[in-house]
Amino acid sequence: MSRLICFYERIFGARVTVDLEEEGLRHAFIEVGPHTVLHPFQVPGIEPPCHQPMFKRGRLDHFALNAASEEAFREVRRRLVAEGVSDGTVTDMGSLLLLSFTDPDGGGHEVVWVKPGVPVAQGLKRSEWTKVQLD
């Protein structure tokens, strides 16, 4: 839990609003931005599974965190690459940019930036996605 908390604090500027142990479990509220709270549990005797490919991860395959701006997306990308948890590849899906990362427990997740003024339905077909280079 401490490793996961430190990661989200370091990369996303998250803050912990609750961190407690009760009934043999530790759990925390990790606030990531103004509208998102991660609520992980640490269960004694259970280790996170090893890294699995997308759609083979079980009950929670992945989540995406929304960047507030293109600048915020670029900064988070820089931090994730520096941390060694993303190769920095950005996918342009038409209506948004997407970057994948792996958290300390092996969870594969994403950061997205929704382009202003572009309809969400634009670019949802995988065949239309492209890889883009960001400086």
Side-chain angles (χ1 to χ4, degrees), residues 4 6 15 20 26 40 52 61 68 78 82 87 92 95 97 109 117 133:
L4 195 68
C6 288
R15 69 185 191 105
L20 48 94
R26 180 179 177 196
Q52 297 290 321
D61 186 78
R78 184 193 67 71
D87 66 5
D92 187 336
S95 59
L97 297 181
H109 305 298
Q133 291 292 340

Side-chain angles (χ1 to χ4, degrees), residues 55-130:
F55 308 127
K56 301 284 186 189
R57 299 179 186 139
R59 297 179 77 187
L60 173 64
D61 186 78
H62 69 282
F63 57 77
L65 296 172
N66 213 9
S69 65
E70 184 177 8
E71 294 77 23
F73 180 85
R74 288 173 178 270
E75 176 58 19
V76 167
R77 177 183 176 270
R78 184 193 67 71
R79 292 177 189 175
L80 290 167
V81 170
E83 187 86 8
V85 296
S86 175
D87 66 5
T89 300
V90 174
T91 302
D92 187 336
M93 297 176 64
S95 59
L96 57 87
L97 297 181
L98 177 144
L99 171 70
S100 296
F101 69 94
T102 304
D103 75 14
D105 288 338
H109 305 298
E110 302 165 343
V111 177
V112 299
W113 172 63
V114 179
K115 298 175 185 177
V118 181
V120 174
Q122 181 177 328
L124 290 181
K125 292 182 181 175
R126 197 175 205 138
S127 63
E128 299 172 358
W129 299 356
T130 59

